[in-house]
Amino acid sequence: MEEHKAKVQSQFSKSAERYVTSQIHAKGNDLAKLMQIAALKGNEEVLDVATGGGHVANAFAPFVKKVVAFDLTEDILKVARAFIEGNGHQQVEYVQGDAEQMPFTDERFHIVTCRIAAHHFSNPASFVSEAYRVLKKGGQLLLVDNSAPENDAFDVFYNYVEKERDYSHHRAWKKSDWLKMLEEAGFELEELHCFHKTFIFEDWCDRMNVTTEKKQELSDFIKSKPTEYYQKFKIVVEDGRVYSFRGESILMKARKPTVKNKGSS
């Protein structure tokens, strides 16, 4: 696990600036929906786990009491800080650390967010448990991530493609996997939203500094798949190379109960 986390730090140190400017991270229906369902009152303290380019922390900052932007990678925090402060937001604290072992006291935050990052976590169940621990009773976890299809063959294909493009990718989980992790930690699922994501192949690869040779290998692999893969992932080929394909992301809103369930005797 420590080796994988070192890979995450290495990869994101090299790609930090690109995550601030990436349109798929900076915008997107999922970010707008996340803000909408948070139902903010203005007095919240928010923890943004794996803040990346800082887009979620930046979106919350004007509407809450405080945001803690939290990330494993120091270089990511530096570019996130420049981006957020450049937008005039000062009520954000920047903390480096591990999502699976958070350096925060129990029941500190009203909201924990994590957007398009958990597929890098080597032990996402530990992250979910930590999110539960640091949330106040009645607090909410707002989780967005790329989701693998429930179909096992499509799941294997999608995760293979992601891993070949980005060695710091650990696993995109199925919806059913996330539901199991949330409920086992004690959360109650309140909302689930699904979003289609079109990946423009060249931009998607360039964000992770993929070599020309690896791009060609990956394009050839995707092109070689049967018709049902083209239908499922909406693969578009132009001039003999993959131009784009489509994935899915999910947004889950889960609540920490106000009263701990004791179960039946």
Side-chain angles (χ1 to χ4, degrees), residues 27-249:
K27 298 181 180 179
N29 294 336
D30 63 306
L31 182 56
K33 190 67 176 179
L34 184 151
M35 294 297 299
Q36 177 190 342
I37 68 175
L40 299 174
K41 297 178 180 178
N43 63 337
E44 293 90 354
E45 289 197 32
V46 179
L47 173 63
D48 184 32
V49 176
T51 196
H55 300 106
V56 173
N58 180 74
F60 272 93
F63 304 108
V64 298
K65 180 180 178 181
K66 183 178 182 179
V67 180
V68 175
F70 183 62
D71 204 280
L72 183 66
T73 306
E74 185 176 357
D75 287 338
I76 279 282
L77 285 173
K78 288 178 181 177
V79 298
R81 183 170 196 152
F83 167 64
I84 294 167
E85 291 186 352
N87 289 323
H89 306 313
Q90 300 297 323
Q91 63 278 42
V92 180
E93 179 184 352
Y94 303 86
V95 178
Q96 183 180 6
D98 188 341
E100 297 163 22
Q101 293 179 298
M102 298 187 198
F104 306 109
T105 56
D106 295 356
E107 300 187 1
R108 173 177 169 182
F109 298 98
H110 300 87
I111 298 173
V112 172
T113 62
C114 183
R115 178 174 178 256
I116 320 178
H119 54 275
H120 294 286
F121 299 166
S122 53
N123 190 343
S126 291
F127 152 67
V128 173
S129 294
E130 281 289 271
Y132 188 91
R133 179 183 66 80
V134 302
L135 275 170
K136 297 179 182 293
K137 290 181 177 65
Q140 56 182 310
L141 171 63
L142 299 170
L143 172 70
V144 179
D145 203 17
N146 299 333
S147 176
E150 295 292 320
N151 176 286
D152 288 341
F154 291 154
D155 171 18
V156 170
F157 166 80
Y158 178 67
N159 274 291
Y160 175 82
V161 168
E162 285 279 15
K163 187 72 173 180
E164 287 296 295
R165 170 252 190 178
D166 175 10
Y167 59 78
S168 71
H169 174 87
H170 180 70
R171 182 167 183 13
W173 298 90
K174 300 176 181 180
K175 302 178 194 71
S176 55
D177 294 323
W178 278 117
L179 180 59
K180 184 173 188 289
M181 283 186 272
L182 290 170
E183 291 194 350
E184 286 183 345
F187 282 106
E188 296 175 349
L189 182 66
E190 292 191 345
E191 297 187 35
L192 169 63
H193 304 271
C194 301
F195 305 90
H196 291 137
K197 296 180 68 172
T198 298
F199 298 102
I200 305 302
F201 186 78
E202 283 291 324
D203 174 70
W204 178 73
C205 287
D206 288 345
R207 197 159 60 246
M208 288 290 104
N209 302 295
V210 178
T211 66
T212 300
E213 181 181 8
K214 175 58 75 172
K215 283 183 191 176
Q216 188 63 56
E217 290 176 4
L218 199 48
S219 176
D220 290 343
F221 171 76
I222 294 171
K223 282 168 49 186
S224 73
K225 303 309 287 183
T227 302
E228 57 265 30
Y229 287 78
Y230 278 72
Q231 293 171 339
K232 172 62 179 177
F233 295 98
K234 302 296 185 287
I235 298 168
V236 176
V237 175
E238 293 185 356
D239 299 323
R241 295 193 65 179
V242 173
Y243 172 76
S244 67
F245 68 97
R246 194 171 78 178
E248 182 183 59
S249 67

